[in-house]
């Protein structure tokens, strides 16, 4: 899986990942952050209703990877 992610990270422009806070997007972000220290950006959607928002899970991954994030309501 790591090799596949690395192959998709070849770019001369910033790379963006959708980080929902779920297992799949969190794992992809963690793997991608190993090789893309400065060129990786994440995009997340949050909700005002805390019972629907996965903001806390998104923040755990962002804190671990130190990547930039854009959040939208």
């Amino acid at each position: 899986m790591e090799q596949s992610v690395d192959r998709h990270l070849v770019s001369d422009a910033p790379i963006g990942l959708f980080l929902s806070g779920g297992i799949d997007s969190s794992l992809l972000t963690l793997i991608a952050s190993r090789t893309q220290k400065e060129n990786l950006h994440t995009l997340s959607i949050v909700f005002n209703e805390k019972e629907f928002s996965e903001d806390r899970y998104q923040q755990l991954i962002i804190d671990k990877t130190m990547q930039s994030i854009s959040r939208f309501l």
Side-chain angles (χ1 to χ4, degrees), residues 35-66:
T35 57
Q36 298 291 317
K37 299 294 183 195
E38 299 173 9
N39 206 26
L40 185 66
H41 304 277
T42 58
L43 167 73
S44 296
I45 296 174
V46 295
F47 298 94
N48 287 329
E49 300 86 359
K50 289 294 181 186
E51 62 270 15
F52 298 115
S53 185
E54 293 189 332
D55 181 47
R56 65 180 179 263
Y57 304 116
Q58 296 164 358
Q59 193 59 51
L60 286 170
I61 300 302
I62 294 305
D63 290 345
K64 185 158 183 73
T65 62
M66 306 294 283

Side-chain angles (χ1 to χ4, degrees), residues 2 5 14 23 36 70:
E2 291 178 5
V5 171
I23 293 171
Q36 298 291 317
S70 298

